Amino acid sequence: MDAQSRSVTLIGAPLEEGSGRRGAAMGPAALRIAGVDQTLIELGHDVADLGDLRIVPAMDLPNHPKAHNLRIVGAFTRALESSVHDVAASGRFPLILGGDHSLSMGSVSGMARYAASKDRPLFVLWLDAHADFNSPATSPSGNIHGMPVAFFCGEAEFAEILPKGRPFVDPKNVFQVGIRSVDAREREEIHEHGVNVFDMRAIDEQGIGAIMREILDVVTKANGLLHVSLDLDFLDPEIAPGVGTTVPGGATFREAHLVMEMLSDSGLVSSLDLVELNPFLDDRGKSARILVELTASLFGRRIFDRPTRAA
């Protein structure tokens, strides 16, 4: 993707049942109030808003003692998988407004099906404080927002949420950046499956620019599609407080914008999740505005284009 006009479709996913607390369901509304659609239009993009997905619980799924609210999360997963796939297949860019991170079970799976139809590999850039590679067998909490990476990699098939035989993402095609909170068993799973992890120490030692160049080079050489999943807690909570799982020591404002600017320059990004915004915990819309500003960087806004705020 470059700074030229793109056709973007917004898909709201007011999902909070994958997390351990309420509030993330208000995320899509907060992002719209913060002007995500108008910002993209002002940058020259064609924007269509499908509104929020409205689902009913998937009653064919079991009540799982170690995967809380599976019927709600499963229904969102199915709806998102279908919607994201169809938007991508129509030639438009799916931009998913979340919602907790369990929504990526659906969004990434939809993009994996689309990538398979084009005979191209799908890569995932996971910008997050957490690895989210748990399954019901390993999760300490049972909250499904800690399981999406394992799910779309085919390592958490704990219920028939999506049809058997669906395309998976190769764990070696997952790049996790900003990681700083990983469960002990989860760490073993990540290592065993070859997930690429750049934790905050790696960012401190190597620099975010060098890490991004390495990732983008791999995707380019493979002629891959790149799905970006941006969790608000990738950022330091001092910058973006509106998240339910704060972990100190996250990415700075400039590091996050550099990631987005380099992604924009690369022309590789095919879809985007904005997740884990909890407006109930935010400070007067600060975190929602930051997510919109980061989205603007991904869609071509440059630092010298940014308006100066009045003191």
Side-chain angles (χ1 to χ4, degrees), residues 170-244:
D170 185 337
K172 296 179 178 63
N173 289 356
V174 177
F175 295 89
Q176 300 191 324
V177 178
I179 304 300
R180 53 195 190 278
S181 177
V182 183
D183 299 318
R185 176 73 183 277
E186 190 180 25
R187 182 176 287 106
E188 296 174 3
E189 293 288 323
I190 291 167
H191 179 74
E192 177 184 335
H193 291 94
V195 177
N196 303 280
V197 177
F198 297 91
D199 60 12
M200 289 308 301
R201 176 171 177 171
I203 291 175
D204 290 340
E205 291 183 343
Q206 300 175 40
I208 194 69
I211 290 170
M212 287 303 300
R213 281 190 291 273
E214 180 180 337
I215 293 169
L216 294 171
D217 185 56
V218 171
V219 180
T220 299
K221 289 179 177 177
N223 189 33
L225 299 175
L226 180 60
H227 176 92
V228 177
S229 198
L230 173 59
D231 189 313
L232 184 62
D233 68 24
F234 169 66
L235 291 153
D236 191 271
E238 292 292 320
I239 303 168
V243 66

Side-chain angles (χ1 to χ4, degrees), residues 40-221:
L40 295 177
I41 291 169
E42 290 171 357
L43 288 169
H45 304 288
D46 167 48
V47 179
D49 191 344
L50 296 184
D52 289 348
L53 295 173
R54 300 185 182 279
I55 59 94
V56 295
M59 299 307 292
D60 60 300
L61 295 175
N63 280 316
H64 198 298
K66 295 186 178 180
H68 305 322
N69 302 311
L70 174 59
R71 288 174 170 173
I72 293 287
V73 176
F76 266 104
T77 299
R78 290 169 177 174
L80 269 170
E81 193 276 344
S82 176
S83 182
V84 168
H85 170 270
D86 292 351
V87 167
S90 74
R92 299 182 66 90
F93 183 107
L95 201 172
I96 299 89
L97 311 177
D100 72 59
H101 221 157
S102 62
L103 68 82
S104 296
M105 293 165 59
S107 61
V108 177
S109 296
M111 287 305 297
R113 178 156 65 100
Y114 171 69
S117 74
K118 297 296 182 181
D119 197 26
R120 297 175 66 184
L122 180 67
F123 291 81
V124 177
L125 176 60
W126 198 258
L127 301 170
D128 198 332
H130 306 87
D132 294 338
F133 206 89
N134 273 307
S135 67
T138 65
S139 172
S141 69
N143 294 326
I144 302 179
H145 74 161
M147 306 180 192
V149 181
F151 179 84
F152 62 66
C153 289
E155 300 300 328
E157 296 295 275
F158 50 92
E160 196 168 335
I161 300 173
L162 294 175
K164 293 179 179 178
R166 65 188 173 93
F168 296 129
V169 177
D170 185 337
K172 296 179 178 63
N173 289 356
V174 177
F175 295 89
Q176 300 191 324
V177 178
I179 304 300
R180 53 195 190 278
S181 177
V182 183
D183 299 318
R185 176 73 183 277
E186 190 180 25
R187 182 176 287 106
E188 296 174 3
E189 293 288 323
I190 291 167
H191 179 74
E192 177 184 335
H193 291 94
V195 177
N196 303 280
V197 177
F198 297 91
D199 60 12
M200 289 308 301
R201 176 171 177 171
I203 291 175
D204 290 340
E205 291 183 343
Q206 300 175 40
I208 194 69
I211 290 170
M212 287 303 300
R213 281 190 291 273
E214 180 180 337
I215 293 169
L216 294 171
D217 185 56
V218 171
V219 180
T220 299
K221 289 179 177 177

Side-chain angles (χ1 to χ4, degrees), residues 1-8 40 43-45 93 260-270 295-302:
M1 187 184 67
D2 54 32
Q4 296 177 344
S5 177
R6 294 294 301 264
S7 297
V8 183
L40 295 177
L43 288 169
H45 304 288
F93 183 107
M260 294 299 163
E261 289 163 358
M262 293 181 72
L263 288 170
S264 178
D265 292 343
S266 75
L268 296 170
V269 182
S270 53
T295 302
S297 287
L298 179 58
F299 280 86
R301 182 188 281 173
R302 294 293 174 260

